[in-house]
Amino acid sequence: MSLHRVIIIDDEYLVRCAIEDKLIETGLFEITGSFDSVSQAHKFLRTQNRLLDFIFCDIEMPDVTGLEAATLLKSYCFYFVCCTGHQKYTAEAWKHLVDAFLVKPIADDLLLALVDKYRRMMRNAGKPKLDYLMMDQLPENNQQEMGKRVRSFIKIMIGDVRYLQKSGNYLYAYGQNEKGLLVKIARTASTVKDFKEKYWFLENLICINQSEIVNMDYVKHYENEKLTVGNEILVVYNLGKKDVASFFAKHDPNY
């Protein structure tokens, strides 16, 4: 069983250590970061290329409150948990983007119940809802390689991606400019296979061959195993014919 990836945000060092120890004791969590401020946590999260399972965040902190942090950071995780020593915050917390509320010190049974609730939610949700991909920013100088500097990740809205194409060590995402031409907007150090395994639930992103993934929402024409996307004509090989046919059968009544 894979561990649930989490970060902890609390301005008190000993409290952070106590929460970290509690999570590790369960054997259910992987601590990917521990921060004393929301701003530091936000800076870290902007470098991550995948969503966390949990964020455990204190409510009373110097820079912003945990409830304000929920608004800022919720999009980086599936489950945002407010932790505090004051039960008076419970009602207010649920009015914000808070998925759960725990009073410190965290009790073992309540923590395990929280994990069970999260797992049920994920099972019932089936396919996660996702509006964007976390990808590498394109280097300002095409000659500059990402490996020679700190990688910087950005959110790319799925609706802005027309198709993705493997080139060298990267999978490039193409969008469309004002002239209708397809242009590179981001990239990720991933194979087509790995990308599809990670985003299997995005039905509109279909792998049509060993090096290309098409956003089917932008297909203008399909005939003789060829898709027209923007100003490009892409060939569908055996690998993708079944998925393309299934997509059209489901979304195009004239297919």
Side-chain angles (χ1 to χ4, degrees):
M1 178 184 66
S2 59
L3 301 179
H4 299 301
R5 299 175 68 251
V6 309
I7 66 168
I8 301 165
I9 310 171
D10 197 298
D11 62 315
E12 296 186 37
Y13 173 74
L14 293 180
V15 173
R16 291 203 308 276
C17 292
I19 294 175
E20 184 171 340
D21 289 342
K22 179 71 69 174
L23 297 181
I24 292 175
E25 284 175 7
T26 67
L28 300 174
F29 299 94
E30 173 191 346
I31 313 297
T32 62
S34 181
F35 306 94
D36 61 6
S37 70
V38 172
S39 59
Q40 286 297 316
H42 191 209
K43 182 178 180 180
F44 167 78
L45 290 170
R46 290 200 299 265
T47 69
Q48 301 300 293
N49 67 344
R50 56 182 288 200
L51 292 176
L52 294 171
D53 293 297
F54 292 92
I55 292 178
F56 289 88
C57 185
D58 186 24
I59 285 185
E60 293 186 333
M61 290 179 295
D63 53 348
V64 299
T65 69
L67 299 180
E68 292 170 330
T71 302
L72 179 65
L73 304 181
K74 179 64 176 69
S75 64
Y76 294 97
C77 70
F78 288 109
Y79 221 64
F80 192 97
V81 183
C82 268
C83 304
T84 184
H86 307 283
Q87 293 190 11
K88 65 180 181 180
Y89 288 111
T90 306
E92 185 180 357
W94 285 98
K95 296 177 184 178
H96 292 71
L97 298 175
V98 175
D99 297 302
F101 184 90
L102 291 176
V103 177
K104 298 180 290 188
I106 300 173
D108 292 344
D109 58 340
L110 294 180
L111 180 58
L112 294 176
L114 176 71
V115 174
D116 286 339
K117 181 178 180 181
Y118 170 71
R119 289 177 174 173
R120 288 196 301 272
M121 180 199 75
M122 295 302 288
R123 284 197 299 268
N124 293 336
K127 298 176 180 179
K129 184 180 185 300
L130 189 64
D131 298 321
Y132 60 86
L133 307 171
M134 294 298 291
M135 304 187 77
D136 295 295
Q137 285 185 307
L138 290 174
E140 296 177 4
N141 184 338
N142 289 332
Q143 302 302 316
Q144 185 178 25
E145 291 298 328
M146 278 288 185
K148 296 181 181 179
R149 64 173 182 165
V150 177
R151 293 177 69 186
S152 178
F153 293 99
I154 56 173
K155 289 182 180 180
I156 299 295
M157 301 303 295
I158 295 171
D160 293 334
V161 176
R162 297 318 194 245
Y163 84 105
L164 300 103
Q165 183 178 53
K166 182 70 177 176
S167 179
N169 296 324
Y170 293 94
L171 184 62
Y172 287 88
Y174 286 80
Q176 189 167 307
N177 64 16
E178 63 278 1
K179 296 180 180 180
L181 302 177
L182 296 181
V183 293
K184 294 178 183 178
I185 55 176
R187 67 183 186 179
T188 180
S190 172
T191 65
V192 171
K193 179 181 178 182
D194 289 343
F195 184 89
K196 287 300 295 180
E197 286 180 352
K198 181 178 181 180
Y199 296 112
W200 60 270
F201 49 88
L202 297 175
E203 295 180 341
N204 57 323
L205 296 184
I206 291 181
C207 181
I208 63 169
N209 54 53
Q210 293 183 340
S211 63
E212 293 173 308
I213 298 171
V214 172
N215 187 338
M216 297 297 292
D217 294 338
Y218 295 101
V219 172
K220 295 181 177 180
H221 186 67
Y222 179 49
E223 187 176 5
N224 297 325
E225 284 79 49
K226 293 180 180 180
L227 293 170
T228 303
V229 182
N231 60 318
E232 297 288 330
I233 296 178
L234 309 174
V235 179
V236 182
Y237 295 143
N238 290 333
L239 179 67
K241 288 180 181 178
K242 181 179 178 181
D243 290 337
V244 170
S246 296
F247 181 89
F248 281 124
K250 182 176 181 180
H251 297 281
D252 187 352
N254 298 319
Y255 178 73

